[in-house]
Amino acid sequence: MIEIRPIRSEEDYEGALRTLSQLWGAASGTPEGDQLDILATLIDAYEKEHFPMDAPGPEALAAFEKEQQEALAASLENQLVFQVFKDKAGRFAFRLLAGEGKIILHSETFDTKSDAINAIRLLQESASHSKIVEQAA
């Protein structure tokens, strides 16, 4: 069993990180898993005190979102992808995106993420068997 001590110095911190890597992947509910949980909590507390991070500002958030959209667009080339998201009201919706992130379809909103995902699955299952019915306007 590994000895776990408080982290009071940079040397203690480095040792804790090495120990964490040895314990990584230990099953929950085992002695090693318990040690992993405790050590991770100690490391988190030390990092919050010694390496504090400010919340990102609006510009940083906007830049991150743009970067994520660009990465998504690059990965979507010649593919259709469903994107699930949470709106400002806290409800979930999905979009069907084509290459370069072009929105093909936007859903209604759902109370839960699982409801939105279930709607996507239903659409995926039934769309290939659907027919087009034209109605005169």
Side-chain angles (χ1 to χ4, degrees), residues 1 7 21 45 65 72 75 83 86 112-113:
M1 187 168 271
I7 302 172
S21 69
E65 187 170 318
L72 177 63
S75 70
Q83 178 186 52
K86 194 173 191 180
T112 67
K113 185 177 181 179

Side-chain angles (χ1 to χ4, degrees), residues 11-104:
E11 186 178 320
D12 290 342
Y13 174 67
E14 294 297 329
L17 291 175
R18 283 191 297 276
T19 303
L20 183 79
S21 69
Q22 293 171 359
L23 292 170
W24 196 256
S28 201
T30 65
E32 292 81 12
D34 292 344
Q35 286 184 316
L36 177 64
D37 288 343
I38 294 166
L39 192 57
T41 301
L42 290 172
I43 290 171
D44 184 53
Y46 182 86
E47 289 176 343
K48 283 181 181 175
E49 182 179 339
H50 293 86
F51 310 113
M53 294 181 64
D54 295 330
E59 299 85 20
L61 289 173
F64 176 75
E65 187 170 318
K66 181 180 179 192
E67 181 182 301
Q68 292 295 302
Q69 289 294 341
E70 288 171 356
L72 177 63
S75 70
L76 291 178
E77 238 173 88
N78 301 319
Q79 290 186 18
L80 294 176
V81 174
F82 285 99
Q83 178 186 52
V84 178
F85 62 95
K86 194 173 191 180
D87 67 13
K88 291 178 183 177
R91 293 177 53 83
F92 293 89
F94 65 84
R95 295 183 272 241
L96 179 60
L97 305 173
E100 299 182 14
K102 180 181 177 186
I103 299 173
I104 296 175

